[in-house]
Amino acid sequence: MRTNLHHRSLDRSPDPLTAVRNLGILAHVDAGKTTVTERILYRTGATHKRGEVHDGTTVTDFDSQERDRGITIFAAAVSCVWDGHRINLIDTPGHVDFSDEVTRSLRVLDGAVAVFDAVAGVEPQSEAVWRQADRHGVPRIAFVNKLDRAGADLDSAVASLRDRLGTVPLVVQLPIGREAGFTGVVDLVRMRALVWGAEGGSYEEGPVPEVLREDAVGRRRLLEEAVAELHPAALEEFCARSSVSDGTLAAALRELTLSGEGVVVLCGSAYRNRGIEPLLEAVVAYLPSPVDVPPVRGESSDGAQERAADPRAPFAALVFKVTSTATGRLTCLRVYSGTVRKGDVVLDMGVRRTERVGRILRVQADRHAETDLAVAGDIVAVVGLKSARAGTTLCAPSAPLVLEPPTAADPVVSVAVEARRNLDANRLAAALARLVEEDPSLVVRTDPETGQTVLSGLGELHLEVAVEKVRRDQGLEVAVGRPQVAYRETVARGVSGLVYRHVKQDGGAGQFAHLVLDVEPLEVTAGSTGDFVFRSTVVGGRVPREYVRAVEAGCRDALAEGPLGGHPVTGLRVTLADGATHSRDSSEMAFRTAGRLGLREALRASAMALLEPVAEVTVTVPDDAVGTVLGDLAARRGRVSGSTARGGTTVVTATVPLAELFGYASRLRSRTQGRGTFTTRPAGYALVPAAVSRTLLTR
């Protein structure tokens, strides 16, 4: 037997770019991703003590609220070295209320490790972050964690990957032992056994145990067949030799991972420190380096442009996180091309202003190590930038470029906030402005009717954390109103042939625009946004093209406030059926004004309906409390879509209006004696029942 090799210095790598891995750790709440991150840092020598979530000693969950709540709230970047490769890790939140942090992180990552619970398999939020990674085209490998738990089953977890995620799992390991007896894995690629001691530590490598040999050979055969179906070179070798060599199999697994056609699946128990080294080996072997991903695309004055990951190319970087600390403002960024040095002047494309980079830091969660430069492929933080925001492009002043920013999710929940003391009003405004700067998914506005300051976010917990951050960091006493959800209005029955004439004559050039509008509900089909569609059927040039565009812009202006309650309007199609112009008084401004006022009049003439945000709720409760929980969901206007029995517990899935979920956590605890848990994820908007709508509109 021999012990595995430990990490070596990064300096031995012949090509620094090929020796970099930028990856995120993705998972549902409590799947163990923070523990996986902690064990990676420990095994690579980046830390010398194993951090534990339950003890509040983790490196990445360093915020006081994260330690109090035992969950990841803010994405945290760390860096370590393994086998001559620098691994830049971002530990992302698993709670749905902080999914925007995941989106911003995925935008700057090259690969990801998706962590799944060996008992629960694919859970709602793990499915959500998987879909987010799909949209960003991020290659992934899967790590089935907690194999030492009672009820852990690798095959069931893999089946849920196949069924719920629609992916092709390529299982490269076989567990040695079950549940509490889990001690190691069989590496099916190299047909070897890796066994850890009672305290974890390094594995010992040896032959496959005789009791598992037949099973291991069968699973290796299944792996070869699955790979041969997807990879031409592996198929050719399989047909010629009825098997696939270790080298061909490893190369095929890498190519399938990079293309997204298959997902390599490993297993282990991060808490017991078992399975981490093979996971690191898989990260190095299968996930891409910066040179393996396509060049980043951006817009310049010369049109679309690509920038390869080349340290000698013009500098271009994307800001994905801004953090205010006691020592200053940290701007976290991913360098896509070129090199930036301490003291360099960079162009902030958000405000079109140059700024000087004061310091460059390698980030280790809340600790930092200063460095002189950062090159293409690096994820670092810089000090000295005053105006950069998340999504801003930084570039060389001589080669301007705008990279596509990550999109911020629309807020769905709002609360009114105010300082308890009038003297603190200005301090509260400054604190809220800093919050929005750090988290673009938060929105602060002043209600024009009440004059209240309204804070909006992605969920009740999201807002609770934001307000608590203001209280703790600024020492402010803040009063918070009851949460309110973001309603929408839609067209239930439209109007046809509505004529609107905009005529204004007050001396000099006047304004004239004549429109005929048709308004109808928009049928939402697969792949459509279901928001707003504008089209023109005007013939004969009666309305010039530039005026048609102005009418569309005016109609979009009118969508900001609907006739029912001033909520944004969605789900409609507007057709410009006819129109007329005046040779002297018509202009784009006149037609834009006519579009805005004409659509408002058309909406008042239409039958409108109210929409409310709904969430898919997954409730896990003991079997003896199912009836009580189902009754409570029904009282909250929930529609149960399924239930599954799982070892003494029942998992109930339902769609519930978001407004009915406020305070549900405490109600569920009281009805299940603290044994029930639930998770939510956004499920779009649904029509509000007429009786409820009348109540809401008369408030």
Side-chain angles (χ1 to χ4, degrees), residues 379-401:
I379 293 178
V380 295
V382 298
V383 179
L385 306 184
K386 298 177 181 177
S387 57
R389 302 287 186 267
T392 296
T393 301
L394 302 176
C395 58
S398 60
L401 186 73

Side-chain angles (χ1 to χ4, degrees), residues 648-668:
T649 62
T650 299
V651 179
V652 178
T653 306
T655 302
V656 185
L658 190 61
E660 302 289 347
L661 286 175
F662 297 139
Y664 184 60
S666 57
R667 176 65 66 89
L668 180 65

Side-chain angles (χ1 to χ4, degrees), residues 389 427-439 444:
R389 302 287 186 267
R427 288 180 59 203
L428 175 61
L432 292 175
R434 193 176 298 113
L435 268 183
V436 173
E437 181 180 292
E438 295 185 6
D439 185 353
V444 175

Side-chain angles (χ1 to χ4, degrees), residues 549-564:
R549 289 196 294 267
V551 173
E552 179 179 358
C555 289
R556 291 187 181 276
D557 293 341
L559 299 177
E561 293 184 5
L564 289 181

Side-chain angles (χ1 to χ4, degrees), residues 19 71 84 93 146 157 189 191 208 256 262 294 304 334 342 403 463-464 488 491 493 545 583 603 622 649 655:
I71 61 171
K146 301 188 178 183
V189 176
M191 292 303 287
V208 178
L256 293 174
R334 159 72 187 267
K342 184 170 72 171
L403 303 177
L463 295 180
E464 185 182 319
R488 297 284 187 268
V491 175
R493 186 179 66 255
R545 184 175 301 175
S583 59
L603 292 176
T649 62
T655 302

Side-chain angles (χ1 to χ4, degrees), residues 578-601:
D578 200 0
T581 62
H582 187 278
S583 59
R584 187 181 60 189
D585 292 343
S586 290
S587 64
E588 289 187 31
M589 180 183 295
F591 273 86
R592 180 164 185 162
T593 302
R596 182 178 74 253
L597 299 179
L599 182 55
R600 284 181 180 174
E601 186 172 308

Side-chain angles (χ1 to χ4, degrees), residues 81-223:
V81 176
W82 176 264
D83 195 23
H85 292 70
R86 175 166 295 283
I87 299 175
N88 296 316
L89 273 173
I90 297 182
D91 179 23
T92 64
H95 196 285
V96 66
D97 281 18
F98 309 104
S99 59
D100 213 54
E101 286 270 324
V102 182
T103 299
R104 293 197 298 275
S105 299
L106 284 170
R107 174 63 181 81
V108 299
L109 294 172
D110 299 327
V113 175
V115 181
F116 300 93
D117 188 312
V119 178
V122 176
E123 297 173 274
Q125 185 58 12
S126 52
E127 183 176 353
V129 296
W130 188 273
R131 302 301 179 206
Q132 286 178 290
D134 280 341
R135 288 193 293 272
H136 287 83
V138 176
R140 280 141 284 167
I141 58 178
F143 182 72
V144 179
N145 191 29
K146 301 188 178 183
L147 273 180
D148 58 323
R149 282 185 60 192
D153 188 339
L154 175 62
D155 291 337
S156 295
V158 170
S160 70
L161 263 70
R162 183 184 297 107
D163 298 339
R164 295 197 60 176
L165 303 181
T167 188
V168 179
L170 304 171
V171 184
V172 298
Q173 291 180 341
L174 168 66
I176 299 176
R178 290 182 60 84
E179 300 178 351
F182 170 71
T183 58
V185 297
V186 174
D187 177 357
L188 299 176
V189 176
R190 288 188 271 178
M191 292 303 287
R192 56 178 184 159
L194 312 176
V195 180
W196 285 267
E199 297 299 320
S202 299
Y203 63 71
E204 290 191 336
E205 181 181 335
V208 178
E210 281 300 323
V211 68
L212 292 175
R213 177 163 291 279
E214 184 177 347
D215 193 9
V217 170
R219 289 177 182 252
R220 164 67 184 237
R221 181 74 175 182
L222 291 174
L223 176 62

Side-chain angles (χ1 to χ4, degrees), residues 238-282:
F238 187 80
C239 292
R241 299 173 43 187
S242 296
S243 65
V244 179
S245 65
D246 295 358
T248 301
L249 185 59
L253 288 171
R254 175 176 171 78
E255 291 180 26
L256 293 174
T257 299
L258 297 183
S259 68
E261 295 178 80
V263 176
V264 171
V265 180
L266 301 98
C267 60
S269 168
Y271 180 69
R272 302 293 178 192
N273 211 21
R274 295 168 186 165
I276 299 302
E277 299 96 321
L279 176 61
L280 285 164
E281 292 167 3

